[in-house]
Amino acid sequence: MFKMEPRLCVTKYRGSEVFKSAEVPLTEQGMDNIALTPDWSVTVISEGSIDYPNGQMLNAEFQSDCLSNETAVALSFHLSGWSAENYVLVPGAVYAGNRFEVRELSYAPCWSRIDDAGPDVPILITDVPRLSNEAGGPSAIHLLTGDAATPAIGIIDQRSATGWLFVTKQGTALGDSSMHVVENEDRSSVRISFQSPGVRPSTKYEMTTTKVPSTDRGHDFKPGEKVQLNCRVYRFPCSSVQDLFERFAAVRRQGLPAVSLAPSLPFSAAWQIQESKYNAMNWNNELGYYAVGTVDMKHQDWQVGWVGGGMSSLALLLEGSEVSVSRALDTLRFLFSSQTEAGFFHGVCHNGQWYGDEFNDAPDRRYPEQWHILRKSADALYFIMKHLLALEQVRPDFEIPADWLDGTRRLADAFVRIWHRYGQFGQWVHTGTGDIIIGGSAAGGIAPAGLALCGEYFNEDSYTFVAEQSARQYYQQFTSQGITTGGPGEILQCPDSESAFALLESYIVLYETSEDQKWIERAEEAALQAMTWCVSYDFDFPKGSTFERLGMRTTGSVIANVQNKHSAPGICTLSGDSLFKLSRATGNKRYLELLREITGNLPQYLSREDRPVRGWDGRDMPPGYMSERVNMSDWEGHSFVGEVLPLSCWCEVSLMLSYAQLPGIYVNRTSGDITVIDQVQCRLEEGAASTLVVTNPTAYPAEVKLLAETEEEAAIPLGSCNHVEWRRVHVGPGEIVRVLL
């Protein structure tokens, strides 16, 4: 077992370079007045125990007794008996220490710019903050708290099966703090530190490189000036990474108030703005499809899956007007026109011309315009099946064209064929041959869900077999190991949140189609891993920034990946209904609470006429626009923290799908618990437990979906389209209505 020694530290800098440092061990419990140096004293208050569920809170008040320029103070934890084999977690930033092979590429990194290829490439990442995977030499991670979903560091001591969590706050009166994991050269010890103000020594991370000169600076302390720094420490039995995620889930919001959703507009009002915008700005009338963006450029035009192509159409099919439904069906027609001989889809279309997915235009690159992000066709398979199942319920008179059914089977066959040939789906495939160009990663994590639905729909055992086999492999290789990699197409194989949520979706679908309880167990593990990517608190944005001015709340936003260090509104590109289904299946409300955090805060990000969101170009975004940037990190530069990329993008689809697939009000009739995701207030009428009182505090009319059920009913899987049968409650602005359950 580690020997853990807390220490107090003061460091003087010259710019961002360490000039000199002093530290003393913290050996006694309780309140101490410690002389750190002749010029610094520290008062420490300790509460609780590291081995108890609530952990030990250390609160250190540092006082400078003289003028101390360019200085930072730290709570530090020195652990001996360390090994490079130990798992290191910084939620949303570091998984397994990010100890993978590195390829240094400018943005957007592309496989066709490097020599690595084939089905058996190791996990390769870009130049992101990481611990070294080589013996000897420097090995350190330096981050600001805004780089993480929760300002925390977790580790597993493999030898003693012991886990540790160190959790701090965003910052102090001096601004954001920094977090540090520093190994010694022979990897026999490690130092975990939290420092105020946050200083990343020498260099910092920006957009695929860790070599940008650090702009962080120490504080000029005046005589008598004080700063308080705290950290809560937990030690617990931990035989697997899931034990670490389980404990993290229990403490990620400890000490924070109950989540209060950002005041905004009801989902139905947001839907009206979005549907109008999609028909006015995203519809390609010439070729007949809903584009993923609104700008005349290649990657804003048509991209299947991932960022919304063939996904927005599902929401519009379920909730749209006749015009929207007709156009959603036309989008499906266009999608099937893009199918290649191999059965997969072309990834990109612009001005009627098909392109590959590679972010590289070099004429001598390998397989020009033949690179395909496998995740895109995996998304397409799943969402095609959702369209077909929805049509049976919402448009039962619509005759599904034979070529759609044939195309769906051809796509499913392509996945079956690649599985039997390679024993994996890979990350990138050749659109012409269907061969794997780049293997590995969890990028195709949603493919088992699509295959499972195909197996049930077409009564085809081969699809079901591969769905179960591939999901089992994904679980063993990724979920159980505490990493998921490569879901976005422009991160090589960095750890990411998108594939974590995709695997959750697959495990839930396999449970619903097989009724095998093991998939629920795996779904719970996937959900806990996905939770580590979700921001657990409301970030304090810089004064005058767009997000500060609009009162934006970050709780429930989802960090994209360890390379693109922004958080984002929603799950790319899903409603999160898998969390709702998991909560129903297990009776565990924490998954429903996480869904409420994610989805309930989505409408605040929508630009609208009466509350425009201004982009960093200085212009207000049009009504219906949502930007993916929730920048707590300075990965694009300090001036972009709290600012907005002025583009229409995929998170709009996540909001649309949330309205289409989730209840705004969920009532557990057995316990009387009410969970409200929409912008209304609810209570059971006193003395009448079967009457729900719904209040609309907004200035918009609300049409809210309601699902009320007993715990026995909740044990029955919902399936793909049960949401079309839910009740709708109409509540005018400021109105109160009573609903008999």
Side-chain angles (χ1 to χ4, degrees):
M1 181 179 290
F2 296 147
K3 178 183 177 182
M4 193 275 282
E5 182 183 69
R7 298 177 179 179
L8 304 168
C9 183
V10 59
T11 301
K12 291 183 71 67
Y13 290 88
R14 287 178 174 171
S16 64
E17 302 292 336
V18 175
F19 173 52
K20 61 182 179 179
S21 185
E23 65 180 27
V24 297
L26 181 61
T27 57
E28 298 180 8
Q29 303 298 313
M31 183 178 295
D32 300 304
N33 199 310
I34 301 167
L36 177 53
T37 72
D39 301 326
W40 281 87
S41 60
V42 189
T43 300
V44 179
I45 298 175
S46 171
E47 297 179 355
S49 166
I50 59 175
D51 294 315
Y52 288 0
N54 289 335
Q56 179 186 52
M57 173 62 83
L58 294 175
N59 195 330
E61 184 179 76
F62 294 79
Q63 177 174 312
S64 173
D65 297 323
C66 68
L67 187 67
S68 184
N69 291 332
E70 296 190 80
T71 304
V73 300
L75 271 172
S76 185
F77 305 89
H78 186 271
L79 293 91
S80 55
W82 181 253
S83 166
E85 300 300 315
N86 292 332
Y87 185 96
V88 177
L89 167 75
V90 178
V94 177
Y95 292 79
N98 291 349
R99 290 189 205 265
F100 309 108
E101 288 193 35
V102 175
R103 299 295 180 266
E104 296 191 10
L105 297 167
S106 60
Y107 190 87
C110 184
W111 288 93
S112 61
R113 293 167 55 193
I114 57 179
D115 293 333
D116 303 277
D120 300 318
V121 295
I123 294 176
L124 299 178
I125 65 173
T126 52
D127 182 17
V128 300
R130 64 194 182 278
L131 296 175
S132 176
N133 63 347
E134 299 177 356
S139 179
I141 295 170
H142 305 289
L143 302 168
L144 294 183
T145 49
D147 290 311
T150 299
I153 298 170
I155 56 178
I156 302 174
D157 178 5
Q158 307 281 7
R159 294 169 183 165
S160 66
T162 302
W164 293 78
L165 275 168
F166 303 86
V167 186
T168 191
K169 296 180 179 179
Q170 176 186 337
T172 69
L174 303 182
D176 292 353
S177 298
S178 52
M179 308 187 295
H180 308 266
V181 182
V182 182
E183 295 179 316
N184 67 349
E185 285 204 2
D186 67 3
R187 313 297 187 253
S188 63
S189 67
V190 70
R191 181 191 301 270
I192 308 292
S193 301
F194 301 96
Q195 183 173 259
S196 174
V199 180
R200 292 158 294 184
S202 302
T203 60
K204 66 169 186 168
Y205 176 77
E206 281 189 16
M207 192 74 84
T208 74
T209 178
T210 59
K211 299 176 178 60
V212 175
S214 175
T215 55
D216 301 335
R217 297 293 183 265
H219 179 67
D220 294 337
F221 284 88
K222 299 178 179 62
E225 189 172 359
K226 300 177 181 180
V227 62
Q228 290 190 3
L229 187 61
N230 61 46
C231 179
R232 192 178 293 272
V233 185
Y234 308 83
R235 182 174 64 189
F236 48 94
C238 188
S239 60
S240 71
V241 70
Q242 292 304 325
D243 291 336
L244 176 63
F245 291 159
E246 176 74 40
R247 190 56 180 272
F248 172 75
V251 305
R252 65 189 278 271
R253 287 193 46 80
Q254 185 175 338
L256 297 175
V259 173
S260 176
L261 300 182
S264 189
L265 73 171
F267 284 130
S268 57
W271 171 267
Q272 291 179 357
I273 295 170
Q274 290 190 281
E275 183 182 19
S276 175
K277 178 259 184 185
Y278 256 73
N279 282 316
M281 304 179 73
N282 291 69
W283 176 245
N284 185 316
N285 194 56
E286 180 182 356
L287 297 176
Y289 58 81
Y290 283 113
V292 299
T294 62
V295 179
D296 184 20
M297 58 184 290
K298 190 163 113 176
H299 291 103
Q300 276 268 298
D301 195 348
W302 172 262
Q303 290 193 70
V304 63
W306 186 15
V307 290
M311 305 164 101
S312 59
S313 52
L314 176 63
L316 290 157
L317 172 66
L318 290 167
E319 295 293 335
S321 65
E322 288 300 320
V323 168
S324 298
V325 169
S326 175
R327 290 177 171 182
L329 297 175
D330 283 341
T331 300
L332 274 187
R333 292 187 182 95
F334 177 80
L335 172 60
F336 283 109
S337 77
S338 71
Q339 198 160 18
T340 72
E341 286 298 316
F344 297 115
F345 292 115
H346 289 291
V348 177
C349 180
H350 182 49
N351 293 332
Q353 181 176 343
W354 297 111
Y355 295 91
D357 286 318
E358 68 266 38
F359 299 93
N360 182 9
D361 296 325
D364 60 346
R365 68 193 186 279
R366 289 170 288 159
Y367 319 126
E369 308 304 350
Q370 296 295 318
W371 291 72
H372 180 53
I373 298 168
L374 190 279
R375 179 255 179 96
K376 287 188 170 185
S377 279
D379 284 344
L381 180 63
Y382 181 54
F383 274 84
I384 286 168
M385 289 309 308
K386 300 284 268 188
H387 280 82
L388 298 183
L389 293 166
L391 282 168
E392 290 184 347
Q393 293 204 39
V394 301
R395 289 292 189 273
D397 296 333
F398 178 79
E399 184 175 348
I400 297 173
D403 63 318
W404 292 11
L405 299 176
D406 291 342
T408 305
R409 298 197 66 145
R410 284 180 57 209
L411 179 57
D413 290 341
F415 279 96
V416 169
R417 186 165 53 250
I418 206 170
W419 174 262
H420 286 307
R421 180 175 178 184
Y422 295 101
Q424 61 166 303
F425 294 136
Q427 185 185 21
W428 291 76
V429 298
H430 191 289
T431 54
T433 66
D435 295 336
I436 288 179
I437 302 177
I438 304 296
S441 97
I446 208 166
L451 286 169
L453 292 180
C454 276
E456 189 174 64
Y457 187 85
F458 293 109
N459 193 26
E460 178 56 65
D461 291 343
S462 66
Y463 300 155
T464 303
F465 174 80
V466 174
E468 294 181 348
Q469 291 295 311
S470 59
R472 185 175 297 114
Q473 185 202 61
Y474 277 130
Y475 171 77
Q476 294 169 349
Q477 187 174 355
F478 293 102
T479 304
S480 69
Q481 301 304 309
I483 56 169
T484 53
T485 65
E490 27 67 271
I491 63 169
L492 295 190
Q493 292 177 349
C494 285
D496 78 290
S497 65
E498 296 172 25
S499 49
F501 276 105
L503 287 172
L504 170 60
E505 201 87 6
S506 280
Y507 300 150
I508 288 295
V509 171
L510 280 163
Y511 165 68
E512 291 190 327
T513 55
S514 71
E515 298 185 8
D516 188 334
Q517 193 67 28
K518 72 184 177 190
W519 295 114
I520 283 295
E521 296 167 6
R522 292 170 181 177
E524 287 204 80
E525 293 184 29
L528 292 180
Q529 185 171 339
M531 184 184 290
T532 66
W533 293 94
C534 301
V535 177
S536 61
Y537 70 106
D538 290 332
F539 187 82
D540 186 14
F541 285 103
K543 298 297 182 185
S545 65
T546 297
F547 271 37
E548 188 272 338
R549 181 174 54 82
L550 293 176
M552 296 286 205
R553 300 182 187 176
T554 55
T555 299
S557 60
V558 183
I559 290 183
N561 52 77
V562 305
Q563 174 190 286
N564 303 343
K565 297 181 69 62
H566 64 85
S567 195
I571 304 163
C572 184
T573 306
L574 300 165
S575 66
D577 66 337
S578 55
L579 287 168
F580 178 58
K581 293 176 177 181
L582 181 59
S583 182
R584 294 178 72 255
T586 61
N588 192 330
K589 196 175 179 181
R590 72 176 166 199
Y591 307 120
L592 186 58
E593 291 170 347
L594 178 62
L595 177 64
R596 179 174 176 267
E597 292 174 21
I598 296 170
T599 306
N601 279 316
L602 280 178
Q604 67 172 325
Y605 299 104
L606 187 71
S607 188
R608 56 186 203 255
E609 190 172 350
D610 64 327
R611 182 183 174 271
V613 177
R614 179 160 296 177
W616 61 43
D617 61 355
R619 301 177 181 178
D620 291 340
M621 296 195 299
Y625 268 48
M626 288 175 69
S627 172
E628 69 175 3
R629 293 296 202 273
V630 180
N631 266 346
M632 306 185 301
S633 166
D634 64 352
W635 73 293
E636 293 181 287
H638 180 73
S639 64
F640 291 104
V641 176
E643 300 302 337
V644 175
L645 174 69
L647 283 177
S648 168
C649 71
W650 61 264
C651 42
E652 298 166 14
V653 183
S654 296
L655 177 55
M656 294 164 73
L657 287 170
S658 295
Y659 177 58
Q661 296 181 320
L662 298 174
I665 305 169
Y666 180 65
V667 181
N668 182 324
R669 297 183 65 180
T670 303
S671 66
D673 285 345
I674 303 171
T675 301
V676 181
I677 298 175
D678 211 334
Q679 293 280 318
V680 293
Q681 299 166 355
C682 298
R683 61 178 175 83
L684 292 173
E685 190 163 61
E686 189 173 347
S690 61
T691 300
L692 183 71
V693 180
V694 183
T695 303
N696 178 6
T698 77
Y700 298 85
E703 181 179 273
V704 186
K705 294 181 181 178
L706 166 66
L707 177 60
E709 59 182 359
T710 64
E711 291 178 356
E712 290 75 15
E713 291 168 329
I716 302 170
L718 282 175
S720 290
C721 292
N722 183 276
H723 48 77
V724 302
E725 301 173 357
W726 295 341
R727 295 171 64 181
R728 299 180 185 234
V729 179
H730 295 265
V731 197
E735 187 180 5
I736 300 174
V737 300
R738 287 170 171 77
V739 181
L740 186 63
L741 299 178

